[in-house]
Amino acid sequence: MLTRSLDAEAGRSRIIAVVMDPGWVSTDMGGPEAPMTPARSVVGLMRVLDGLTARANGRFLTWEGAEAPW
């Protein structure tokens, strides 16, 4: 809800507010069965962040840039 609320405010400030899913990452929390390394997740997240535009405000995106359902 915070991201949705920021959507209205952010547009006036040229700030882009999104929620991002890093994927199932092999960490202490993700467990050893997770198929993705932290480095791969971060590369994907950074690629998505670098390409964000104001149209993305208030959206929920995956580490690959796809829109995820709320």
Side-chain angles (χ1 to χ4, degrees):
M1 241 1 252
L2 176 61
T3 300
R4 294 282 180 134
S5 299
L6 286 173
D7 180 12
E9 295 295 320
R12 294 184 216 133
S13 304
R14 297 184 342 155
I15 295 171
I16 300 169
V18 297
V19 173
M20 295 193 71
D21 173 6
W24 187 18
V25 181
S26 182
T27 62
D28 288 344
M29 188 165 93
E33 293 83 26
M36 187 169 17
T37 65
R40 183 173 173 213
S41 176
V42 169
V43 166
L45 291 167
M46 294 302 294
R47 186 177 307 121
V48 173
L49 289 170
D50 284 344
L52 289 178
T53 66
R55 284 187 70 198
N57 255 334
R59 297 186 185 220
F60 180 18
L61 304 172
T62 68
W63 68 277
E64 297 171 304
E67 190 161 355
W70 282 99

